[in-house]
Amino acid sequence: EVIDAGGQVLLPGFVDLHTHLREPGREDTETIATGSAAAALGGYTAVFAMANTDPVADNAVIVDHVWRRGQEAGLVDVHPVGAVTVGLKGEKLAELGTMAKSEAQVKVFSDDGLCVADPLLMRRALEYSTALGVVIAQHAEEPRLTVGAQAHEGEQAARLGYTGWPASAEESIVARDCLLAQHANARLHVCHVSTSGTADILKWAKDRGTKVSAEVTPHHLLLTDERLATYDPVNKVNPPLRTESDAEKLRAALAEGVIDCVATDHAPHAVQDKDCEWSSARPGMLGLQTALSIVVETMVRTGLLDWRGVARVMSERPAEIGNLSDHGRPIEVGEPANLTLVDPDTEWTVRGAEFASIAANTPYEGMRLPGVVTATLLRGRITAREGKIAS
Ligand code: DOR
Ligand code: ZN
Ligand code: ZN
Ligand code: ZN
């Protein structure tokens, strides 16, 4: 097939360090196959599938199962994230070494969704990760400071009767883990940075030589707690949407490289878990099929990033952080390519029901967004073309 790329932008295939596929356990909301399709349509050639499945991905049997299911789907490389602690319970380290050496060759470990709250356990995980050459990703929430919290602190949360999820609950544990990572001479990755203060802490840690990297989600770049005015649970997410000045700082930090990359935190949920009271709704929103457009809207159209920068935050840096040698860089002559072709100016209207995901919980429903992924190639084979999965 000849692809006419006139007026389009060619990028290395995107890499998502933070995706929730719901297999095993909640295949009613997403499977590895449907999530892979959503990823390919969003321009991704590799995703890291978070460990908070049921059962939890805390052993070699589950991570190898996830890896093989991804290979069967054949649309993106599905790299399983291993749990840091058994059952994500934060009590006992999982067998990181066994998972790292399994067929799936787990490269990233995280208790995302929950948190390694115990500092001694986190220090041991970091020390061990250095020996294994893997990276620990921190969900960036001190759970003892977010008990009962449902939203960013402030007026909107107060009206709901909540004290809120304060910025300090994120910043205190990020600061702690930067110090622990420095102590262990380990590599730390900070998930979904959401506050201005966390960006300051990251800058401080990087300046003093800590091997820390960080991601920001598309929704924390664009959306703010103003969205809470209607208390529509589609906007409920962990960490919560914060203020416009936080979002502005996050965009600047991403442009400067203080925050390394964009990661979706793609979190599919069933209708009944979102179409309900705010307090009983599950946190999280879809991201794979809208990430590029949100980056174009918030970073490219504002002049904060050029397309070279988009390649850096969507592909190169996440591939480096996740230890992928086959993604996130220009191809060598003769090498099968992982590539994404983007029509930068065309706008489209978001319709959750049209996504490849089983779930439809997008906060962007009905919005017109710029930037269309017109083709995705995995190792030289077209996986998505003009909004459809290539058969
Ligand atoms: O909003 C979120 N949803 N944040 C998380 O950390 C977990 C995720 C999920 O699994 O739904
Ligand atoms: Zn790969
Ligand atoms: Zn998280
Ligand atoms: Zn997550």
Side-chain angles (χ1 to χ4, degrees):
E1 187 189 349
V2 177
I3 296 177
D4 179 1
Q8 303 202 28
V9 182
L10 185 62
L11 300 158
F14 303 152
V15 175
D16 190 14
L17 277 174
H18 192 150
T19 309
H20 295 272
L21 305 177
R22 299 302 193 193
E23 184 180 346
R26 285 304 299 266
E27 291 86 347
D28 59 315
T29 62
E30 194 80 292
T31 66
I32 289 166
T34 60
S36 292
L41 290 165
Y44 290 89
T45 52
V47 301
F48 285 77
M50 274 296 166
N52 64 340
T53 48
D54 182 14
V56 170
D58 62 4
N59 63 75
V61 174
I62 305 282
V63 295
D64 283 350
H65 175 77
V66 170
W67 167 252
R68 283 195 210 121
R69 296 283 289 156
Q71 292 300 110
E72 280 163 28
L75 295 171
V76 292
D77 288 348
V78 178
H79 292 281
V81 173
V84 180
T85 67
V86 174
L88 302 175
K89 288 190 163 66
E91 290 162 4
K92 185 170 149 230
L93 282 191
E95 294 195 358
L96 311 193
T98 311
M99 289 187 269
K101 288 173 187 112
S102 73
E103 187 186 340
Q105 294 181 34
V106 176
K107 303 158 200 311
V108 178
F109 291 88
S110 181
D111 272 14
D112 183 73
L114 295 162
C115 202
V116 185
D118 178 351
L120 181 58
L121 201 59
M122 188 59 168
R123 192 176 82 188
R124 283 175 49 215
L126 286 163
E127 284 164 350
Y128 196 16
S129 74
T130 311
L132 289 171
V134 298
V135 63
I136 306 281
Q138 165 61 272
H139 162 79
E141 171 194 357
E142 168 49 85
R144 290 158 296 196
L145 297 176
T146 59
V147 176
Q150 301 263 348
H152 179 65
E153 75 267 33
E155 195 193 324
Q156 314 288 8
R159 268 202 279 148
L160 276 173
Y162 302 125
T163 49
W165 175 312
S168 56
E170 173 174 315
E171 292 155 7
S172 56
I173 205 159
V174 171
R176 182 199 82 173
D177 286 355
C178 284
L179 295 168
L180 293 178
Q182 176 114 6
H183 167 92
N185 193 26
R187 225 149 51 85
L188 171 73
H189 180 70
V190 180
C191 293
H192 43 53
V193 173
S194 75
T195 79
S196 160
T198 303
D200 289 334
I201 291 163
L202 289 167
K203 169 103 177 51
W204 169 81
K206 286 183 171 196
D207 283 349
R208 72 201 292 264
T210 310
K211 288 184 260 177
V212 59
S213 57
E215 65 187 36
V216 62
T217 69
H219 45 277
H220 289 109
L221 291 173
L222 180 69
L223 307 178
T224 67
D225 63 346
E226 270 179 42
R227 277 275 184 141
L228 264 66
T230 59
Y231 300 114
D232 181 344
V234 79
N235 298 308
K236 184 173 175 181
V237 64
N238 290 349
L241 301 178
R242 301 212 187 259
T243 67
E244 178 53 35
S245 75
D246 287 307
E248 195 184 339
K249 177 76 170 263
L250 297 175
R251 294 189 292 263
L254 181 64
E256 289 162 15
V258 169
I259 293 174
D260 299 77
C261 64
V262 172
T264 66
D265 202 4
H266 179 83
H269 286 299
V271 173
Q272 67 270 22
D273 291 326
K274 279 297 192 183
D275 207 356
C276 57
E277 291 271 305
W278 177 279
S279 58
S280 46
R282 296 199 186 202
M285 40 184 69
L286 299 183
L288 287 169
Q289 287 185 247
T290 46
L292 183 267
S293 291
I294 303 297
V295 169
V296 174
E297 174 79 16
T298 57
M299 302 297 295
V300 180
R301 288 203 160 174
T302 53
L304 287 166
L305 281 185
D306 57 15
W307 286 95
R308 177 100 271 304
V310 174
R312 174 166 60 82
V313 303
M314 295 293 283
S315 181
E316 294 167 5
R317 285 300 292 139
E320 284 166 9
I321 293 162
N323 270 326
L324 301 187
S325 55
D326 57 341
H327 292 262
R329 52 176 176 73
I331 57 163
E332 306 287 337
V333 172
E335 180 189 39
N338 298 313
L339 294 171
T340 299
L341 194 61
V342 171
D343 177 343
D345 296 316
T346 300
E347 298 194 348
W348 61 290
T349 303
V350 179
R351 297 281 174 230
E354 291 169 9
F355 286 159
S357 285
I358 297 171
N361 53 303
T362 175
Y364 313 113
E365 183 69 33
M367 279 176 70
R368 280 194 73 71
L369 294 175
V372 173
V373 173
T374 56
T376 311
L377 282 81
L378 177 66
R379 286 181 279 280
R381 184 172 52 83
I382 297 174
T383 52
R385 177 82 180 116
E386 304 289 1
K388 293 196 171 55
I389 292 298
S391 41

